[in-house]
Amino acid sequence: MVTITNDDRPRIRSNRPKRMKDSRGYRVFQVVNGAVLLGVVFVTLYPFLNIIAQSFSGESFIRAGEVNLIPQGFNITTYQLVMGDGMFWRNYGNTVLYTVVATAIAMVLTTTYAYVISKRNIRGRGLLIGIAVFTMFFNGGLIPNYVLISSLGLTNSIWAIVLPNAISVFNLLVMKAFFENLPAELEEAAQIDGLSTYGILLRIVLPLSKAVIATMVLFYAVTFWNSWFQAFLYLNQQELFPVTIYLRNLIAGASTASSLGSGSGDLAQVASNIKAVTMVLTVLPILCVYPFIQRYFVSGVMLGSVKG
Amino acid sequence: MSLHEPTTAPDGARASGPEAATSAMLAAEARPPRGRRGRAATGRGKLPWRKAIRRDWQLYTLVLLPLAFFLIFRYLPMAGNVIAFRRFQPGGSIFGEEWVGLRYVEMFLNDPTFWNVFGNTLTIGLVSLLIAFPAPIILALLLNEVRTRYFKRFVQTVSYLPHFLSIVIIAGMLLQLLSLEGTVNQVVRAFGGDAVPFMQRPEWFLTVYVSSEVWQTVGWGTILYLAALTQIDQSLYEAARIDGANRWKQTLHVTLPGIRPTMITLLILNIGTFMAVGFEKILLIYNPLTYPTADVIATYLYRVGLESNNFSYAAAIGMFEALIGLTLILSANAISRRVVGTSLW
């Protein structure tokens, strides 16, 4: 029953001549474990591979239920069809625009607030922190938010997308923690040299914070790139939609992409194809940068929990 | 992280992910300890506001814009909740026109649909909690046993991927996979069964929702556990081995106690947010055929409020949901502090 296993410390039992082998049970476990994890990888990746296969397949094969991992009836006409749709590119451009503007606004607001609350000796610091942290636990809720945005007249404008979620308190606290760990002497020296607070922030603090700024930009950009609900609530003109809403309308069947049907009347017949291609094209930028940005996200998430 | 409405959550992320845990920890840390504050007050003495402003006015100007953001987009809507007790006219004041007392509260308490969606919310939340909460722990433990570093890194990288996708993409994939000619039904047919229109069947909704929830969150959820696993003192394993503990017993008596604080933190957060089930996902994948099991409080109040324009009624439901969420997180925190000595604050 009791098995003594040993991997990295061969000298614990010195009466044994060599590095002790794992018990047979543990070796079996290792193999099973590897298989299970490969299964996890497969299940995680399968939906992507399936969508990619569908995007290159003929619609008749999809409808016959024959497409899983390998494209059937290989063609790229669906790509040509979707990429030929002006509205798709228009909406794609909107996503880029919203992401850039929203991230810029978010970065300005988050950085300035985080910088101020990172100052330990400023009067009212506790209050400022409290104002931000409180919103993590309490939120106005859907209806009051909707009423507010409408009465501010932001409906059908870019501001309804880029303003209401401009500060993520999580990001704010990560930045604050980073600023707090910068050496205070540098700022003091700069102050003695006659730099104003703004000068210190712009010329001393920000250049030292490139790492955290890059991480925050990524955090915000991915969130805004993926967001759809704000646009769904507050935009009702097709030219303003981000690509997520374009896609949402495709999958919800309430297709507004009339140009794709191009009068053929069999939009339903090409739908699976088109959905797959639209999904692939929407997710492509994320997939391309993902391998490079993933570790920033992981380190960002763990920044705050190191002490815990 | 918001207890109230996932849709307007500033983080836009799933409510109970690692970010939530981290931000809770950061928040707990951000609060100055009481004792120190007292000492500072007596020791160096607080600067009077006038002097503070004269000294730090540049810093205070930096805070104006973000502060305006918080007041307008966070605190105004909070105050806007009073329309739950007032008559509201679209186009009128965001705080409503006149007091109507508890009329809207009584209205939803007597609304059978409300109790149906309330039950659905509890069921979906509870089953998600039971399955989606332990899943990352198990995956982290399995990953922890992997000896080949590259393989471990590979599995991690792949399993984080769903976290970075838009919920619209996830919904789209789900609908494709579960359609009559999708992969799942291909498998069903291969085993001689009849294709099932999963997305049209109320009895399948819970399964679909929870399994996709696991797919989305299991990998990303391992991050904090894997970090906690590396913090465990290696000499504890050595001692356990000398005491004759096999791998399984080491896991049981060293590994699991080692990650217990992380588990409890995440459990508290999960309990606190389980009323706020994945509203955006449900909104994207449910349909009138699956309302009997798929409709939750958040989707119901969305339809009541924004499709039928009963703003006050929907706001009342929203407040009720927020109250339950708040009660849940406070009691989970209190219980955990008393029983296991770990708490968020």
Side-chain angles (χ1 to χ4, degrees):
Chain A
M1 170 67 205
V2 173
T3 329
I4 296 174
T5 52
N6 186 345
D7 48 339
D8 42 355
R9 289 171 190 274
R11 271 158 289 126
I12 293 174
R13 289 262 167 130
S14 47
N15 54 341
R16 296 287 169 101
K18 273 185 194 169
R19 188 183 197 282
M20 225 184 341
K21 285 265 169 66
D22 288 327
S23 73
R24 169 187 276 239
Y26 189 64
R27 270 177 292 156
V28 171
F29 167 77
Q30 280 287 342
V31 174
V32 174
N33 189 18
V36 168
L37 291 176
L38 277 181
V40 170
V41 168
F42 179 74
V43 170
T44 310
L45 288 182
Y46 183 83
F48 295 92
L49 302 173
N50 185 238
I51 295 298
I52 293 169
Q54 284 194 8
S55 71
F56 287 110
S57 293
E59 178 66 18
S60 54
F61 294 95
I62 300 177
R63 293 189 73 79
E66 288 172 5
V67 180
N68 34 59
L69 283 174
I70 301 141
Q72 306 286 328
F74 186 91
N75 70 79
I76 55 163
T77 46
T78 330
Y79 276 92
Q80 287 165 341
L81 186 67
V82 172
M83 293 168 107
D85 181 28
M87 198 48 81
F88 174 76
W89 291 114
R90 179 103 194 235
N91 291 171
Y92 215 95
N94 286 339
T95 292
V96 175
L97 175 73
Y98 297 159
T99 304
V100 170
V101 175
T103 307
I105 293 177
M107 285 309 294
V108 170
L109 296 187
T110 310
T111 311
T112 49
Y113 204 74
Y115 180 64
V116 174
I117 60 176
S118 75
K119 293 274 164 236
R120 288 182 198 282
N121 54 1
I122 187 173
R123 185 83 203 268
R125 177 176 187 249
L127 180 68
L128 290 175
I129 294 176
I131 286 174
V133 169
F134 185 72
T135 64
M136 268 174 27
F137 298 97
F138 299 92
N139 193 296
L142 177 65
I143 303 298
N145 269 301
Y146 181 84
V147 169
L148 174 76
I149 303 284
S150 311
S151 67
L152 287 176
L154 299 181
T155 315
N156 275 326
S157 79
I158 179 176
W159 307 114
I161 313 299
V162 300
L163 286 182
N165 288 330
I167 295 183
S168 144
V169 178
F170 168 73
N171 292 354
L172 180 74
L173 293 177
V174 169
M175 275 200 112
K176 164 182 162 287
F178 185 90
F179 287 145
E180 278 171 354
N181 288 330
L182 288 177
E185 295 80 20
L186 278 173
E187 291 184 48
E188 281 159 17
Q191 203 172 14
I192 292 166
D193 288 347
L195 269 182
S196 67
T197 304
Y198 309 128
I200 294 174
L201 177 62
L202 282 175
R203 296 213 229 142
I204 310 287
V205 175
L206 291 186
L208 287 172
S209 314
K210 280 181 193 137
V212 76
I213 289 173
T215 309
M216 291 299 114
V217 167
L218 287 173
F219 272 42
Y220 277 125
V222 170
T223 308
F224 289 124
W225 183 277
N226 284 335
S227 77
W228 70 286
F229 193 67
Q230 293 286 118
F232 180 65
L233 279 185
Y234 303 121
L235 304 180
N236 49 37
Q237 293 165 5
Q238 212 183 334
E239 314 83 62
L240 295 173
F241 290 165
V243 74
T244 41
I245 299 296
Y246 181 94
L247 180 59
R248 184 262 162 199
N249 290 339
L250 275 188
I251 64 174
S255 176
T256 49
S258 49
S259 49
L260 285 178
S262 54
S264 56
D266 57 359
L267 183 66
Q269 222 176 12
V270 283
S272 296
N273 254 348
I274 290 176
K275 281 181 213 168
V277 169
T278 315
M279 278 193 255
V280 170
L281 291 176
T282 313
V283 88
L284 206 60
I286 299 269
L287 284 187
C288 289
V289 295
Y290 170 73
F292 308 103
I293 64 173
Q294 176 244 124
R295 63 196 181 90
Y296 290 101
F297 276 82
V298 176
S299 59
V301 164
M302 293 203 295
L303 249 174
S305 60
V306 200
K307 286 185 184 165
Chain B
M1 192 53 232
S2 92
L3 299 174
H4 199 147
E5 261 313 315
T7 61
T8 45
D11 297 318
R14 240 98 46 213
S16 45
E19 286 96 340
T22 308
S23 37
M25 292 175 199
L26 282 165
E29 209 174 278
R31 217 159 301 150
R34 298 235 164 78
R36 217 177 63 196
R37 184 191 249 176
R39 203 183 51 195
T42 50
R44 288 167 61 191
K46 266 191 193 168
L47 223 51
W49 270 109
R50 223 153 44 90
K51 277 189 184 167
I53 289 174
R54 191 178 305 158
R55 191 190 64 182
D56 291 329
W57 66 271
Q58 287 181 321
L59 278 176
Y60 287 118
T61 55
L62 284 177
V63 107
L64 290 179
L65 274 179
L67 209 53
F69 162 82
F70 278 119
L71 294 183
I72 296 172
F73 291 107
R74 292 289 177 266
Y75 286 89
L76 261 187
M78 272 182 221
N81 267 313
V82 295
I83 62 169
F85 310 106
R86 292 169 72 87
R87 199 170 56 81
F88 174 79
Q89 239 172 9
S93 158
I94 71 165
F95 300 117
E97 308 299 327
E98 58 187 347
W99 291 101
V100 294
L102 295 177
R103 195 171 115 197
Y104 295 108
V105 178
E106 278 167 31
M107 216 159 120
F108 77 71
L109 289 178
N110 293 321
D111 176 357
T113 319
F114 171 76
W115 290 108
N116 181 40
V117 299
F118 183 70
N120 285 343
T121 311
L122 286 185
T123 314
I124 294 177
L126 213 57
V127 176
S128 304
L129 184 68
L130 285 178
I131 295 175
F133 170 71
I137 303 176
I138 296 169
L139 183 60
L141 291 178
L142 293 181
L143 278 169
N144 195 41
E145 297 293 331
V146 172
R147 302 266 185 83
T148 325
R149 191 169 296 167
Y150 295 106
F151 182 61
K152 184 179 175 185
R153 179 75 51 82
F154 170 67
V155 177
Q156 281 178 273
T157 305
V158 169
S159 68
Y160 296 161
L161 185 56
H163 176 80
F164 293 83
L165 299 185
S166 171
I167 195 75
V168 181
I169 302 269
I170 291 172
M173 286 176 167
L174 212 51
L175 294 172
Q176 300 274 70
L177 285 173
L178 295 171
S179 69
L180 275 174
E181 54 281 340
T183 305
V184 178
N185 272 318
Q186 289 173 23
V187 175
V188 171
R189 276 202 210 92
F191 283 99
D194 285 326
V196 183
F198 291 100
M199 301 315 294
Q200 270 88 52
R201 292 282 168 81
E203 68 269 25
W204 278 101
F205 187 81
L206 186 63
T207 316
V208 170
Y209 178 86
V210 175
S211 44
S212 65
E213 197 69 14
V214 171
W215 184 81
Q216 280 170 259
T217 56
V218 67
W220 194 246
T222 59
I223 292 182
L224 290 181
Y225 292 117
L226 288 170
L229 283 169
T230 60
Q231 305 280 316
I232 297 175
D233 187 355
Q234 288 303 309
S235 63
L236 290 176
Y237 287 105
E238 204 173 300
R241 274 195 292 265
I242 291 168
D243 289 346
N246 63 15
R247 281 273 168 186
W248 172 242
K249 292 216 160 164
Q250 288 172 32
T251 304
L252 217 56
H253 299 296
V254 180
T255 313
L256 283 181
I259 59 174
R260 202 175 65 165
T262 312
M263 282 163 62
I264 289 167
T265 308
L266 285 169
L267 185 64
I268 297 173
L269 284 166
N270 272 287
I271 290 173
T273 50
F274 99 80
M275 291 293 287
V277 287
F279 162 72
E280 291 188 17
K281 187 165 78 175
I282 296 183
L283 199 62
L284 286 165
I285 64 174
Y286 80 160
N287 59 54
L289 288 173
T290 48
Y291 281 177
T293 54
D295 203 8
V296 293
I297 298 179
T299 49
Y300 181 59
L301 83 82
Y302 165 78
R303 287 204 314 280
V304 167
L306 301 185
E307 285 179 4
S308 318
N309 289 323
N310 295 319
F311 289 95
S312 289
Y313 185 39
I317 299 179
M319 278 191 73
F320 178 73
E321 190 190 12
L323 275 177
I324 297 179
L326 184 65
T327 317
L328 279 171
I329 197 162
L330 288 180
S331 34
N333 194 48
I335 291 171
S336 128
R337 182 168 41 203
R338 200 151 303 165
V339 178
V340 284
T342 311
S343 63
L344 292 180
W345 60 83

